[in-house]
C-alpha cells in the first residue's frame, strides 16, 4: 500500500563518541554491538525472558565504563511539544504506561509480532552510574508504517490516535520496560524505534534524542508474517542504506532473543549525559 515517503534526515550526530573502555555485562554488550538469538520455540523465549529480567533487575549496579549513545533526529512525528499545532502527548498523564500497543484509552490495539523492550540508562558523566528517575519516551510506527497523532499518511488520519507511544520512569536498576509490537517500516527508512530521555517526568530537561536499530535477519522473519506482508515492511531499506544510520549504528543496535511465534525480547543499555 502506498505511503508518503519519510523525510527524516540525520541531525545532531556527535562528531565523536565518548568511549571509556570495554563493556561489562550482557546489556552493555548489547549497547556496543547488539546481537540476536533467533529461536522458533516459545519455551526458549520464555526462559530467556525470565533469565534476562532476573539478571538485569537484580544487579543494582552499573558498569565501570560505557559509551554515550549517538544523538539522532526525532523525525517528523515526535508529538513531544516541539511542533506548533501538534498534540503534545507528554502533557497527558496517560502517556505514563508500560503497554503501548493501544491508544491511551485502550482502543485501537495494534496487531503485530509481540515485542518486549527493556532499556537501561547509564550516566556517562558519573562513572556510568545507573540513572534512576529519568523519563524515557518511546514511539514507533505500526505494522503498516504509520504513526499515531498525525494525518500525513496515505492510509488515513491518525490525529485522534495515540497508539505505540509511551513513557516509563527508570527504576533503581536504571531500567524501563515497554510491551509493544515489532515496528513496521516504510520507504527510505530501516526499522527503528525513537527514544527521548528526560531528566525526570516533568519533561523539562531533555538529555538525549536517539533511535534504536533492528537486526535484519529478524526483520526478514517478522515481515513474512501476515500482519506485515501486505505493508511497506516488505520494501527493504537496510541499516547501511538508511539516511539516519548511514554513519554507523553499532551503539544503537538492539540485542534480541525469542521467536516470531512467541514474540521477541529486545534490550539495550544507553549511555546518556545525565549530570
Amino acid at each position: 500500500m502506498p505511503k508518503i515517503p519519510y523525510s527524516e534526515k540525520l541531525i545532531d550526530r556527535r562528531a565523536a563518541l565518548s568511549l571509556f573502555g570495554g563493556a561489562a555485562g550482557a546489556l552493555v554488550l548489547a549497547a556496543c554491538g547488539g546481537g540476536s538469538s533467533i529461536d522458533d520455540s516459545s519455551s526458549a523465549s520464555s526462559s530467556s525472558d525470565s533469565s534476562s529480567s532476573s539478571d538485569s533487575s537484580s544487579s543494582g549496579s552499573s558498569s565501570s565504563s560505557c559509551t554515550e549513545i549517538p544523538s539522532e533526529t526525532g523525525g517528523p512525528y515526535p508529538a513531544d511539544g516541539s511542533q506548533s499545532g501538534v498534540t503534545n502527548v507528554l502533557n497527558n498523564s496517560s502517556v505514563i504506561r508500560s503497554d503501548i500497543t493501544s491508544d491511551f484509552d485502550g482502543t485501537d490495539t495494534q496487531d503485530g509480532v509481540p515485542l518486549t523492550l527493556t532499556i537501561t540508562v547509564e550516566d556517562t558523566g558519573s562513572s556510568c552510574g545507573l540513572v534512576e528517575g529519568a523519563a524515557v519516551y518511546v514511539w514507533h510506527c505500526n505494522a503498516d508504517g504509520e504513526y499515531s497523532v498525525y494525518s500525513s499518511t496515505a492510509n488515513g488520519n491518525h490525529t485522534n490516535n495515540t497508539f505505540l507511544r509511551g513513557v516509563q520512569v527508570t527504576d533503581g536498576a536504571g531500567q524501563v520496560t515497554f510491551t509493544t509490537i515489532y515496528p513496521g517500516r516504510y520507504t527510505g527508512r530501516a526499522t527503528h524505534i525513537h527514544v527521548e530521555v528526560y531528566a525526570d517526568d516533568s519533561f523539562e530537561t531533555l538529555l538525549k534524542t536517539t533511535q534504536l536499530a533492528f537486526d535484519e535477519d529478524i526483520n526478514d522473519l517478522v515481515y513474512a508474517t501476515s500482519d506485515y506482508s501486505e505493508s511497506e515492511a516488505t520494501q527493504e531499506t537496510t541499516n547501511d542504506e538508511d539516511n539516519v544510520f548511514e554513519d554507523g549504528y553499532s551503539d544503537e543496535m538492539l540485542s534480541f532473543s525469542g521467536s516470531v511465534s512467541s514474540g521477541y525480547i529486545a534490550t539495550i543499555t544507553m549511555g546518556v549525559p545525565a549530570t
Side-chain angles (χ1 to χ4, degrees), residues 1-5 143-145 154-155 184-188 223 228-237:
M1 56 184 73
K3 303 283 188 305
I4 295 175
D144 292 325
N155 291 331
R185 63 183 171 199
Y186 39 90
T187 303
Y223 296 152
Y228 302 84
S229 60
E230 299 300 321
S231 73
E232 282 194 60
T234 59
Q235 301 180 25
E236 180 178 11
T237 296

Side-chain angles (χ1 to χ4, degrees), residues 74-88 139 149-150 152 165:
Y77 306 124
D80 61 356
S82 60
Q83 298 162 312
S84 176
V86 177
T87 298
N88 180 3
W139 72 98
V149 179
Y150 295 83
S152 55
R165 298 178 183 274

Side-chain angles (χ1 to χ4, degrees), residues 26-27 44-59 116-118 120 175 177 255-257 265-268:
L27 291 178
S45 174
S46 300
S47 175
S48 174
D49 189 13
S50 300
S51 175
S52 173
S53 300
S54 175
D55 291 346
S56 58
S57 62
S58 64
S59 63
T116 300
L117 171 66
T118 295
T120 302
Q175 289 187 339
T177 296
S255 181
F256 285 90
S257 63
I265 301 154
T267 60
I268 192 169

Side-chain angles (χ1 to χ4, degrees), residues 110-195:
Q110 299 299 295
D111 294 326
V113 172
L115 177 69
T116 300
L117 171 66
T118 295
I119 298 171
T120 302
V121 182
E122 293 182 340
D123 183 2
T124 58
S126 181
S127 301
C128 300
L130 297 169
V131 179
E132 183 176 6
V136 180
Y137 170 39
V138 302
W139 72 98
H140 64 84
C141 68
N142 64 10
D144 292 325
E146 299 171 341
Y147 288 86
S148 63
V149 179
Y150 295 83
S151 62
S152 55
T153 66
N155 291 331
N157 187 328
H158 292 296
T159 55
N160 293 323
N161 296 116
T162 50
F163 55 74
L164 305 179
R165 298 178 183 274
V167 172
Q168 282 283 284
V169 176
T170 55
D171 59 18
Q175 289 187 339
V176 294
T177 296
F178 295 92
T179 299
T180 185
I181 63 166
Y182 204 99
R185 63 183 171 199
Y186 39 90
T187 303
R189 283 305 316 272
T191 310
H192 62 282
I193 287 179
H194 293 272
V195 183

Side-chain angles (χ1 to χ4, degrees), residues 91-109:
N91 285 335
N92 189 329
S93 61
S94 296
V95 76
I96 307 292
R97 58 182 186 157
S98 59
D99 188 336
I100 65 172
T101 54
S102 69
D103 286 352
F104 290 166
D105 63 2
T107 61
D108 290 296
T109 298

